Each structure stands twice: as structure tokens, then as C-alpha cells.
Amino acid sequence: MNASSETATASTGRDENAEFLQALGEHRNFLRFTTRDLTDEQAGQRTTVSELCLGGLIKHVTSVERGWVGFIEKGPSAMPDFTELTEADYQKWADGFRMLPGETLAGVLDAYAEVAARTDALVASLPDLGVSHPLPKAPWFQADASWSARRVLMHIIAETAQHAGHADIIREALDGQKTMG
């Protein structure tokens, strides 16, 4: 490979990184936008039979993104062994979907912004999204499977987009406001 080919490959890789970050950023904005002009009480309010609330959805997406970015950096050691979760672990997971006493919407949004900035910096610095790690132990993952940084980013984008849709429904049920339309 000559110097111009190496430069083109690096440029293409950086372009890919930027495209992933742009897509993720758009879905993050949709999710955050659902909380505009809300009080802490409204951000914690359930509007459907589901346990979901707007603040809880943002907490969950923050946690998911934090965990998967740790995976890109450190591999499966950054995540728990999902086959050995305790009742306390399950309760902590459930609490990640709710606004708990003392939590504020501003605090939840700040935590999300911090995780987003960390993700963006990491992804922008990666020379190759093809680097992969074995997945952590979990009943929902195929044994001995690996995910690349690219696959992890697709998962984070899908998770964010899915929950932005949930958030839009919750917000519309709360006060009639929508993300779009």
C-alpha cells in the first residue's frame, strides 16, 4: 500500500466514523427533544401502562451507551457476566427506567451529555471500526461471538432510535407535544 492509499483508507475510516456519529447525534437529539420544557415531575410520570417515563428512558439509554462504549475500549471485562446477575442487579436495571427520588431531569440530561461526549471523542479517535471483542456471557448472545466497534455503534444507534420513539409516545400522552409533526 502506498502513502496515498493509506491516506485514502484513513480518510474513508474517519468519514465512516463521522457518519455513525452524525446518525447517533440525530437520534440523541430526538430523544432529548421529548423532554423540552418539562418539570422533574413530568419527566418521571408514566403516561401508559408501561413503567417507562421520559427521564427513565434517557437514564436507560445513557447506561446502555456507557456500557457499550466501555466494551469498545476494554472488551467484555467492561460488562457484567449476564449469566450471574443477582436480584440486586435486576433491581438496579429496573431502577434505570425510572426517575428515582432526588433525581432531576437536568441531572439525567447532564449525565447523558457526558456519556455522549465520551462516545463521540472515542469514536472520532478510532482508526478502524472493524476492531472487535468477544461478547460478554449472556443467554441472548451466541457463544463465542464477537462484535466490532461498528456493530456496537449500530446497536447504540438502534437502541437510541427505538427509545426516542417510545419517548415520543410518552410525551404525546403527557401533554400532546410531539417530536415531529
Side-chain angles (χ1 to χ4, degrees):
M1 184 181 276
N2 63 36
S4 64
S5 296
E6 289 177 16
T7 302
T9 301
S11 176
T12 302
R14 298 287 186 211
D15 292 347
E16 180 183 32
N17 297 23
E19 287 178 8
F20 272 106
L21 290 176
Q22 180 181 357
L24 180 55
E26 289 170 2
H27 292 293
R28 285 180 185 140
N29 287 335
F30 286 137
L31 178 58
R32 282 191 294 256
F33 191 67
T34 63
T35 65
R36 71 196 177 283
D37 303 322
L38 292 182
T39 65
D40 294 339
E41 181 182 344
Q42 289 171 312
Q45 187 176 339
R46 293 174 44 203
T47 62
T48 69
V49 296
S50 166
E51 291 290 324
L52 299 176
C53 67
L54 294 172
L57 281 173
I58 293 173
K59 282 177 55 177
H60 171 70
V61 171
T62 301
S63 175
V64 167
E65 187 169 323
R66 181 185 299 117
W68 281 109
V69 168
F71 174 83
I72 290 172
E73 292 176 311
K74 300 175 187 167
S77 67
M79 301 180 101
D81 178 340
F82 293 103
T83 63
E84 297 188 10
L85 296 178
T86 65
E87 286 301 315
D89 294 326
Y90 285 112
Q91 184 59 55
K92 183 178 177 185
W93 179 81
D95 287 345
F97 286 95
R98 294 189 276 275
M99 294 278 291
L100 300 176
E103 291 181 329
T104 65
L105 178 57
V108 168
L109 290 169
D110 286 347
Y112 191 36
E114 288 173 20
V115 167
R118 178 176 168 229
T119 300
D120 292 354
L122 174 67
V123 172
S125 74
L126 292 174
D128 180 9
L129 296 180
V131 64
S132 67
H133 299 290
L135 289 169
K137 290 182 183 179
W140 50 85
F141 291 137
Q142 179 182 347
D144 301 321
S146 294
W147 275 12
S148 66
R150 182 180 298 105
R151 178 63 183 89
V152 169
L153 288 169
M154 288 189 293
H155 177 72
I156 293 170
I157 291 167
E159 182 90 8
T160 305
Q162 177 179 7
H163 290 308
H166 293 144
D168 201 36
I169 291 167
I170 292 167
R171 178 62 191 255
E172 189 171 359
L174 181 67
D175 64 4
Q177 296 296 311
K178 296 183 275 189
T179 304
M180 299 172 73

